[in-house]
Every structure is written in structure tokens, then in C-alpha cells.
């Protein structure tokens, strides 16, 4: 069933357009604007160009989804097959099925929302021209990763996103951005070198780099030893990008230093490339090798779940001086652990849960990073102790709508039933209860129990964050202080929060300082103003435009999971059956 009947040639064009258009848009962003399009503000003109290109790509992706044959989601559709390097039998092959289509939609949506957000609030840093071009190159590489059907092209697309993200962190990031950017690029490049060796091993031993043909062969053309080596090599590269414990240490630094838009794209899109590679390449092409390593993958996954949650609890405690962006980054280690656990089960239930958790994490964590960026803009800091201090940050009282949305995103992240985060985690745990034939059931049930314990830890640290940031907290000292001392402390904290930071200067939608920004009145009037806890700018129009789709889709996916599972399940069944429907 298709919502609108679109011819095969038009579908081919749409998929090619989705992959290539951002790259062309990046080139256009660097060129001088035509006289009629310069406008009064060239910076705003190039930011508007980013919104236009990403919007066009999103519309094309939606039309692609509308024309997709939902009765046959396991069949590759909108396929293109052009010879590129005949000597190596490398071909430009594009196509989508029920596994890749949701990831294309997620990438196009998040990139458009980031461009829309940046149009009204560009990140502090060099020329917006370079910023827009880098974001568009990043989008093109990510979309290509989910659309290509040749192993070498997959590797090229996989690597294409590294340089743009490096510069986004290094040039537009906050404190320690250079060190964080170098750590990101070194980890991912080293992992990629190993991954390339595994890809070449598969291609040379099987005689083809065609991912569809290799999946249909289901490893029958590869010996078990070749599969084991290939899974180890490719798996290391994918695990770094996922990120899997203990190869995750680049992630918290990268997120802490990255600008808001960089964090949203890194968490919402780039991490999905690693888990997609496990599903698209290793599960169908090297099943025997995956069966060998699945117990170890599951063990690392559940350690990551618990480790990420404990790290978040440590950052959330009073006096730890934890950074809220860093906390959300560590939460991603735990959430992606559930995705890896589902893949390790090698069952349709577990893999479907992993794919669902992928999409849910992109929606929820993308929203969380948007919100944390907004909180940091308003306070000038993401330090939890400052946000939750006695002069505090109680968002419910100072910016109620922002506080309510932050609480919603946190509750969605902890996996509340009825929201998107619930279904992926539940299905991965069900898959671990009954893993694929040949895998140790007692071991996987142990992993399931540890993963379930991780959900409790997730709930604990998310509720602590909501209590401290949204409700604030008063220490015994602050309650016993004389009124004048409290006022003085409040004034000092307000001034400190208003100090410009390396990443962004707090400002409202109209470009003015936030409601509590600027110089404070002196004398008695200033004391009274500080003591009454000044209001913050609440959610602005441009913020609502960028955040509402993510909140709405989080609710929709939680209430109607069949929309996504109806796409992924037939494709997963075919993938695990060796290309047989």
C-alpha cells in the first residue's frame, strides 16, 4: 500500500536528491550570494539558505516516505545502480527499506530543526557561511550512510561526517573545544581504519561489495574464521561511533564542548550510524561471526547501561559541580547500550526494539540537548549546582513552560509507558529473555536483569535532575541566613549567571539580553529585585517551532508504536532469514 502512487523513476530521483542536495547546498553556501538574495544582513541570508535547503530535503524525504510501498517494507525501493569503479566492482547503489527509511526521516527532520533554530539564534563563532556549509555536508554524509548499498560507499559516507563535526566542535564549541574535537576525531578515525580492513576482507573474500547480495548470501560464501575477523574489525569501528563502553570516552567531552546544534546532531543522528551498521552489515553478512561475539557485545552493552547511569547519578548529586550537558551525554551511553543489547540477541524482537530505541533516542535526546542549550543560554552556565542553588534556578517559577518541557523530555528519557522511550527498552529486554538459537539463555537472562536494573537507575538520575533544575533546592544554610544576606547572595549569583561564556551569550529571541541579564540596579532597589528572583525569558517562538515536532513525535511514537514497527519488522525478519521474506 502506498499513500500516493509515485513512479519508480521519480522515487529514484527523490532518493538521489535527498543525498546530493545538501552537498550542493553546502557549495552554494560558500559562494557569493546573488545580488538579489544578499538582503540587508548577509549572515542572516546564508542562515536562511540553510533553512531552505534542509527544508527542501525534508519535504523530499517526506514525499519519499509517502510514496514508499508500505505493504512490502522488506523490499529495497527507489533503487539506483550505476557502475563506478569497474575494476573493483564498486557501484553507486542507493535504496531504502523499512530499516533505513525511519532513519532518513529522523536525519532530515533534526537537521532542518537545527537550521531553523540557528536562523534565530546563530552560535557564537566564525562566519555563518562555514557553519551552514558544514551542517549541510554533515547531513549529506549521514543520509548517504543510511541510503547506500555498497560497502565501500558506506565507508566513505561513514567517514564523510567526521570532518564537519570536528570543525563544528573546534570552531563553534565552548570551553575545552579543541581538546574535545581532537579526541573525537582521533577515536573515530582509529576505529574507522580497523573497520576498513574488515570491509576489504569481506569484499575480497566474497568477490563483491554489494550489501544486498551479501545479505542474501547470509555468510555462506565466507568461512567462519573470516566472519569472526570481519565482525571484530568492523565491530570496533561501529562500536566507537555508537558509542559502546569502554570506547565511549570521547562522547562526554564532545557533547560538553559542542554548540547546541552540534550536540543535537551528534546525539540524534551520528550515534545511529554505528548501530545501523551492526544491523545492516554484520547481522546479515556475517551471522556466524556475530553469533560468536554476541555474548560479549551484550555484556559490554549492559555494563554501558549501568556505567552511564552511575556516571549520571554522580554528576547529579549535590556538590559534584556536574555539567548538565555532560550528564545527558553519559545518558546516551546507557541508552545506546539498550540498542546494542537488542542487536546482540539476534532475534526479531530484540532487533526491532533496537531500531525503535534508535529513533526514540534521536527524538528525546535531541530535544533534551535543545532544552539544555536554552537553559545554558539563559543562565550562562550548565553547572547543576549553580542551576539548583538557593538563589536558584527553579525553572517552574522562572520559566514555567521551559521547565515543563524539560521535565517532559526527562520523563520520556527514563522510559515512561506511553512515550517513545518505553517501547525500545521493553522490546530489547524481551529479546534478551529469549535470544537466538545457539546463544546462552542463562547469560542473556542475566543481561536482561542487569539492563532492567539500569532502567531504575535511569529513572533515579532523571528525577533528581528534574527536582534540582525545575524545582530548585534550598540548603539549610540559605534557610538560616538573614534576609539581607540572602538578597546579597542572590544578587551575586544572578550577576555570575549573566557573565558571558565561551559558547554563547544569553539572549532572548529579539537579540536582547535574557530577562535576568544586564546590569542589576544598585542600592535597595537592586537588593529587592535580586531577592524576588527575577524571571527568565520563557520559550520563544523560534524555540517552540524547533522543539514542538520532537515532543509531538515522542508522544505519537509512544502511543502508536505500530507505525514504526510495521516498517521495521518485515525488513528485520528478512534480514535475519538471509534475505528470504
Amino acid at each position: 500500500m502506498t499513500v500516493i502512487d509515485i513512479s519508480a523513476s521519480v522515487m529514484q530521483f527523490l532518493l538521489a536528491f535527498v543525498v546530493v542536495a545538501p552537498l550542493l547546498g553546502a557549495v552554494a553556501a560558500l559562494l557569493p550570494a546573488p545580488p538579489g538574495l544578499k538582503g540587508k544582513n548577509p549572515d542572516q541570508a546564508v542562515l536562511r539558505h540553510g533553512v531552505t535547503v534542509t527544508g527542501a530535503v525534508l519535504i523530499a524525504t517526506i514525499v519519499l516516505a509517502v510514496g514508499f510501498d508500505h505493504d512490502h517494507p522488506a523490499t529495497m525501493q527507489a533503487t539506483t545502480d550505476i557502475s563506478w569503479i569497474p575494476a573493483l566492482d564498486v557501484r553507486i547503489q542507493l535504496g531504502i527499506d523499512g530499516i533505513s527509511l525511519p532513519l532518513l526521516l529522523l536525519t532530515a527532520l533534526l537537521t532542518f530543526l537545527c537550521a531553523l533554530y540557528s536562523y534565530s539564534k546563530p552560535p557564537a563563532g566564525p562566519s555563518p557561511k562555514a557553519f551552514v556549509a558544514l551542517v549541510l555536508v554533515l547531513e549529506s554524509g549521514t543520509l548517504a550512510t543510511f541510503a547506500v548499498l555498497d560497502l565501500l560507499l558506506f565507508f566513505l559516507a561513514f567517514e564523510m561526517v567526521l570532518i564537519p563535526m570536528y570543525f563544528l566542535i573546534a570552531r563553534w564549541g565552548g570551553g575545552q573545544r579543541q581538546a574535545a574535537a581532537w579526541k573525537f576525531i582521533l577515536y573515530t578515525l582509529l576505529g574507522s581504519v580497523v573497520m576498513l580492513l574488515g570491509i576489504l576482507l569481506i569484499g575480497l573474500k566474497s568477490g563483491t561489495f554489494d550489501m544486498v547480495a551479501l545479505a542474501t548470501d547470509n555468510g555462506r560464501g565466507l568461512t567462519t574464521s573470516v566472519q569472526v575477523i570481519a565482525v571484530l574489525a568492523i565491530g570496533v569501528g561501529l562500536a566507537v561511533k555508537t558509542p559502546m563502553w569502554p570506547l565511549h570516552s570521547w562522547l562526554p567531552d564532545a557533547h560538553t564542548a559542542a554548540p547546541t546544534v552540534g550536540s543535537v546532531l551528534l546525539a540524534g543522528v551520528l550515534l545511529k550510524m554505528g548501530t545501523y551498521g551492526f544491523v545492516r552489515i554484520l547481522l546479515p553478512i556475517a551471522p556466524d561471526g556475530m553469533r560468536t561475539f554476541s555474548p560479549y557485545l551484550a555484556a559490554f552493552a549492559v555494563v554501558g547501561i549501568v556505567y552511564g547511569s552511575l556516571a549520571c547519578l554522580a554528576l547529579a548529586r549535590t556538590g559534584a559541580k556536574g555539567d548538565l550537558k555532560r550528564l545527558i551525554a553519559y545518558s546516551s551511553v546507557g541508552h545506546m547500550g539498550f540498542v546494542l543489547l537488542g542487536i546482540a540477541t539476534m532475534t526479531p524482537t530484540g532487533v526491532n526494539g533496537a531500531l525503535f530505541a534508535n529513533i526514540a533516542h534521536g527524538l528525546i535526546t535531541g530535544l533534551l540537548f535543545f532544552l539544555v542549550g536554552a537553559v545554558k543560554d539563559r543562565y550562562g552556565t550548565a553547572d547543576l549546582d549553580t542551576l539548583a542553588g538557593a538563589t536558584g534556578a527553579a525553572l517552574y517559577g522562572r520559566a514555567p513552560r521551559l521547565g515543563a518541557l524539560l521535565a517532559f523530555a526527562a520523563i520520556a528519557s527514563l522510559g515512561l509507558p506511553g512515550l517513545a522511550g518505553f517501547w525500545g527498552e521493553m522490546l530489547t529486554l524481551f529479546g534478551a529473555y529469549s535470544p537466538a538459537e545457539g546463544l546462552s539463555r542463562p547469560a542473556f537472562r542475566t543481561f536482561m536483569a542487569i539492563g532492567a536494573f539500569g532502567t531504575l537507575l535511569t529513572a533515579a538520575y532523571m528525577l533528581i535532575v528534574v527536582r534540582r533544575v525545575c524545582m530548585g533546592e534550598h540548603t539549610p544554610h540559605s534557610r538560616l541566613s538573614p534576609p539581607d544576606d540572602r538578597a546579597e547572595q542572590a544578587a551575586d549569583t544572578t550577576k555570575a549567571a549573566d557573565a558571558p561564556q565561551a559558547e554563547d551569550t544569553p539572549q532572548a529571541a529579539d537579540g536582547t539580553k535574557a530577562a535576568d541579564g544586564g546590569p542589576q540596579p544598585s542600592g535597595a532597589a537592586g537588593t529587592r529585585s535580586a531577592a524576588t528572583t527575577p524571571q527568565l525569558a520563557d520559550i520563544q517562538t523560534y524555540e517552540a517551532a524547533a522543539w514542538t515536532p520532537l515532543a509531538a513525535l515522542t508522544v505519537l511514537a509512544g502511543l502508536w508504536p505500530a507505525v514504526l514497527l510495521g516498517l521495521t519488522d518485515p525488513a528485520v525478519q528478512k534480514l535475519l532469514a538471509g534475505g528470504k521474506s
Side-chain angles (χ1 to χ4, degrees):
M1 178 192 71
T2 56
V3 179
I4 298 177
D5 191 16
I6 301 177
S7 68
S9 58
V10 174
M11 291 285 284
Q12 288 176 349
F13 170 78
L14 285 172
L15 184 57
F17 174 82
V18 162
V19 172
V20 175
L23 205 55
L24 299 177
V27 174
L30 296 174
L31 297 175
L37 298 178
K38 285 184 178 179
K40 295 181 180 179
N41 188 337
D43 288 348
Q44 287 299 108
V46 75
L47 291 168
R48 185 166 57 248
H49 168 77
V51 175
T52 303
V53 174
T54 55
V57 171
L58 176 60
I59 291 171
T61 309
I62 292 173
V63 174
L64 198 63
V66 168
F68 187 81
D69 185 356
H70 292 261
D71 284 338
H72 301 92
T75 303
M76 282 294 173
Q77 302 179 34
T79 54
T80 299
D81 189 354
I82 303 171
S83 179
W84 184 34
I85 307 176
L88 297 176
D89 193 28
V90 178
R91 311 181 68 82
I92 298 177
Q93 291 178 283
L94 302 175
I96 53 171
D97 62 358
I99 293 172
S100 52
L101 179 60
L103 291 167
L104 281 180
L105 288 166
L106 177 68
T107 301
L109 174 65
L110 282 176
T111 312
F112 170 70
L113 295 180
C114 286
L116 191 64
Y117 182 85
S118 299
Y119 177 73
S120 296
K121 185 169 182 53
S127 164
K129 272 192 169 188
F131 175 81
V132 171
L134 290 170
V135 169
L136 290 175
V137 171
L138 186 71
E139 180 182 31
S140 179
T142 310
L143 291 169
T145 301
F146 299 137
V148 297
L149 300 176
D150 183 276
L151 279 177
L152 285 182
L153 280 183
F154 174 87
F155 176 78
L156 293 177
F158 195 85
E159 297 304 291
M160 183 177 168
V161 304
L162 301 184
I163 301 303
M165 182 53 69
Y166 167 81
F167 282 110
L168 286 175
I169 296 171
R171 302 300 300 276
W172 286 269
Q176 303 296 318
R177 59 181 181 266
Q178 292 291 343
W182 273 110
K183 197 171 185 179
F184 163 77
I185 199 75
L186 289 176
Y187 265 75
T188 48
L189 279 178
L190 288 174
S192 298
V193 169
V194 182
M195 184 172 75
L196 178 60
L197 296 177
I199 287 174
L200 291 175
L201 177 64
I202 289 177
L204 295 175
K205 290 295 184 180
S206 62
T208 182
F209 292 99
D210 186 334
M211 292 162 65
V212 175
L214 288 167
T216 304
D217 189 60
N218 201 220
R220 286 182 286 271
L222 301 172
T223 64
T224 301
S225 60
V226 168
Q227 291 188 38
V228 168
I229 296 171
V231 168
L232 180 60
I234 297 174
V236 167
L238 298 175
V240 170
K241 187 67 71 73
T242 298
M244 181 186 77
W245 181 92
L247 303 174
H248 69 284
S249 60
W250 62 269
L251 184 71
D253 292 338
H255 271 305
T256 304
T260 297
V261 167
S263 291
V264 172
L265 293 175
L266 181 58
V269 176
L270 264 67
L271 303 190
K272 313 300 173 285
M273 295 165 62
T275 52
Y276 175 78
F278 276 104
V279 174
R280 177 65 74 194
I281 297 174
L282 296 186
L283 276 178
I285 295 177
D288 293 338
M290 273 298 292
R291 195 168 286 107
T292 299
F293 282 107
S294 279
Y296 304 102
L297 179 63
F300 284 126
V302 295
V303 170
I305 292 171
V306 175
Y307 172 84
S309 299
L310 291 177
C312 290
L313 281 171
L315 289 170
R317 76 180 192 275
T318 304
K321 292 293 181 183
D323 186 283
L324 188 53
K325 284 188 75 176
R326 195 174 188 85
L327 185 147
I328 303 302
Y330 271 111
S331 77
S332 292
V333 176
H335 289 304
M336 299 311 289
F338 280 102
V339 177
L340 292 173
L341 176 61
I343 294 170
T345 67
M346 299 185 69
T347 62
T349 301
V351 176
N352 275 304
L355 294 172
F356 199 104
N358 247 350
I359 301 299
H361 179 265
L363 296 172
I364 297 168
T365 308
L367 178 58
L368 275 171
F369 275 116
F370 268 134
L371 293 168
V372 173
V375 170
K376 186 174 182 180
D377 290 341
R378 285 157 171 79
Y379 288 103
T381 182
D383 178 72
L384 271 168
D385 288 337
T386 303
L387 296 180
T391 61
L395 273 178
Y396 287 156
R398 302 184 69 181
R401 289 189 292 275
L402 180 60
L405 191 55
L406 180 61
F408 165 82
I411 290 171
S413 183
L414 65 83
L416 185 74
L419 298 175
F422 171 74
W423 296 105
E425 293 182 3
M426 185 194 71
L427 288 172
T428 58
L429 294 177
F430 278 171
Y433 182 81
S434 183
E437 185 179 352
L439 299 179
S440 170
R441 183 165 293 188
F444 272 83
R445 288 186 177 177
T446 302
F447 299 146
M448 180 197 74
I450 297 172
F453 176 66
T455 63
L456 300 178
L457 296 176
T458 304
Y461 71 74
M462 278 300 180
L463 292 176
I464 290 172
V465 168
V466 170
R467 176 180 62 78
R468 298 191 70 201
V469 176
C470 296
M471 301 177 185
E473 61 187 18
H474 293 270
T475 63
H477 178 270
S478 70
R479 287 195 294 269
L480 294 173
S481 297
D484 290 344
D485 290 345
R486 286 202 307 272
E488 184 178 351
Q489 293 166 5
D492 290 342
T493 304
T494 304
K495 289 177 183 177
D498 291 333
Q501 300 294 309
E503 178 182 350
D504 294 302
T505 300
Q507 56 180 330
D510 59 359
T512 61
K513 288 276 182 84
D516 62 342
Q520 298 295 321
S522 59
T527 301
R528 286 195 301 271
S529 173
T532 55
T533 308
Q535 293 293 303
L536 292 172
D538 212 333
I539 296 178
Q540 306 296 314
T541 303
Y542 73 95
E543 293 173 328
W547 303 342
T548 301
L550 298 179
L553 288 171
T554 297
V555 175
L556 179 64
L559 296 178
W560 198 9
V563 173
L564 184 54
L565 292 174
L567 280 173
T568 61
D569 185 54
V572 168
Q573 298 274 3
K574 181 178 180 179
L575 210 64
L576 295 177
K580 301 174 184 177
S581 301

